[in-house]
Amino acid sequence: MKTKTRIKQALKFTRNILVNRSSYFKGYDYAQRKTLNKTSHKSDLVEAEESNPLSVSFNNNTKGNGIWKWRHYFDIYHRHFHKFRGRKLKILEIGIYSGGSLKMWRDYFGDHCRIVGIDIEPDCRAYENNYTKVYIGSQSDRAFLRKVIEEEGPFDIIIDDGGHRPNQQRISLEELLPHVTHGGVYLCEDIHGIHHPFSIFCSGLVSALNQKAIASASDLQRIINSVHNYPFIVVIEKNMLPIKKLTLERRGTVWQPFFD
């Protein structure tokens, strides 16, 4: 019975994709236009960058352990991470490379921040200290990730800057997202290319988040607050408290008769 139900669901899903593919191509075509911005205003990007502590930290990192980031990432980090500054929290960063980002996170979040790093290179153990723990292993190894969770989880923030391969990104999200705290943030970066498999995977999450549930919120809607897409980055934020139901409410006494 379950198999038949799954087959029916798969067929329905496939039909929806085929029916709606024209909408996808229309959106893609619209994205290629050069008319998306017809406003003229003075940009305040320079001032915004100068007020972003992460940008300042990156710009000042002229010596010591290296940090390798796309410039626009710092605004995204600050937008989603600033609420954690000065709080006691635990971060997991996948892919620590030359170690510079570990110090950047510590400086940004403060002395109450504990950092756990994952990398495949044994030499990265050199970055361990009294506030940083390093695990050596592959982010596509589910057993390894479960070991890290068992010993260190849960996490307030998870940053996937690891191997950047779609399968690695998907496996990491599947294993780690359930272990992000309420109100926490999961960020995956360096999602490069059109029709990227991990980006498409996350589009499936967005579709599920938009499911209209009358009686009660779906399992995903109870836990996930939002999914944000940026150039090369996906950010998933969890609800502070699980939502039992998505409610549509009315207030006021004077109404147009259109929906009576």
Side-chain angles (χ1 to χ4, degrees), residues 208-228:
L209 198 62
N210 288 328
Q211 176 184 343
K212 192 173 182 180
I214 303 299
S216 61
S218 68
D219 290 341
L220 185 73
Q221 291 166 340
R222 276 195 284 271
I223 301 301
I224 301 301
N225 175 271
S226 55
V227 179
H228 305 258

Side-chain angles (χ1 to χ4, degrees), residues 59-73:
N59 292 335
N60 291 337
N61 194 67
T62 56
K63 295 182 180 179
N65 294 342
I67 307 172
W68 197 359
K69 297 287 185 182
W70 290 87
R71 172 68 68 175
H72 69 280
Y73 283 9

Side-chain angles (χ1 to χ4, degrees), residues 1 7 19 23 31-33 50 61 63 74 88 92 97 111 118 131 137 142 148 151 158 167 211 216 218 246:
M1 187 66 181
I7 291 174
V19 169
S23 296
Q32 309 309 308
R33 299 180 188 179
E50 289 176 349
N61 194 67
K63 295 182 180 179
F74 299 108
K88 183 178 180 181
L92 172 63
Y97 191 33
D111 294 340
I118 288 177
Y131 60 82
R142 294 182 185 272
V148 174
E151 296 182 4
I158 295 179
N167 191 54
Q211 176 184 343
S216 61
S218 68
L246 300 174

Side-chain angles (χ1 to χ4, degrees), residues 57-257:
S57 177
F58 178 74
N59 292 335
N60 291 337
N61 194 67
T62 56
K63 295 182 180 179
N65 294 342
I67 307 172
W68 197 359
K69 297 287 185 182
W70 290 87
R71 172 68 68 175
H72 69 280
Y73 283 9
F74 299 108
D75 177 58
I76 300 168
Y77 294 150
H78 190 46
R79 184 177 304 163
H80 292 279
F81 294 165
H82 72 91
K83 64 182 180 181
F84 296 99
R85 299 188 73 196
R87 289 173 42 185
K88 183 178 180 181
L89 78 156
K90 186 179 288 186
I91 299 172
L92 172 63
E93 182 173 36
I94 303 172
I96 53 181
Y97 191 33
S98 295
S101 60
L102 298 174
K103 182 179 183 303
M104 180 183 73
W105 298 130
R106 175 73 171 187
D107 291 343
Y108 178 71
F109 290 111
D111 294 340
H112 299 293
C113 171
R114 173 170 169 78
I115 304 170
V116 177
I118 288 177
D119 207 284
I120 59 172
E121 295 294 338
D123 288 347
C124 288
R125 282 201 178 94
Y127 306 129
E128 283 194 338
N129 51 42
N130 60 350
Y131 60 82
T132 305
K133 172 71 175 177
V134 175
Y135 286 81
I136 304 301
S138 172
Q139 71 176 109
S140 59
D141 184 341
R142 294 182 185 272
F144 167 71
L145 293 177
R146 289 168 186 172
K147 177 177 181 288
V148 174
I149 288 296
E150 182 180 355
E151 296 182 4
E152 301 288 347
F155 297 96
D156 301 288
I157 296 173
I158 295 179
I159 302 162
D160 181 357
D161 185 20
H164 306 154
R165 294 178 180 174
N167 191 54
Q168 295 172 321
Q169 294 167 331
R170 177 183 58 80
I171 290 174
S172 295
L173 185 146
E174 289 174 345
E175 293 294 330
L176 300 175
L177 183 60
H179 302 283
V180 174
T181 58
H182 293 302
V185 178
Y186 189 103
L187 184 149
C188 181
E189 58 190 65
D190 291 344
I191 306 168
H192 299 299
I194 300 171
H195 312 311
H196 190 283
F198 182 73
S199 179
I200 295 171
F201 175 85
C202 291
S203 295
L205 295 180
V206 173
S207 292
L209 198 62
N210 288 328
Q211 176 184 343
K212 192 173 182 180
I214 303 299
S216 61
S218 68
D219 290 341
L220 185 73
Q221 291 166 340
R222 276 195 284 271
I223 301 301
I224 301 301
N225 175 271
S226 55
V227 179
H228 305 258
N229 285 282
Y230 299 95
F232 317 149
I233 280 184
V234 168
V235 179
I236 301 174
E237 294 194 332
K238 281 194 169 183
N239 289 318
M240 290 296 296
L241 294 172
I243 293 176
K244 295 181 180 180
K245 187 175 182 180
L246 300 174
T247 60
L248 177 63
E249 301 180 359
R250 277 184 164 193
R251 295 290 188 274
T253 58
V254 179
W255 296 86
Q256 292 284 1

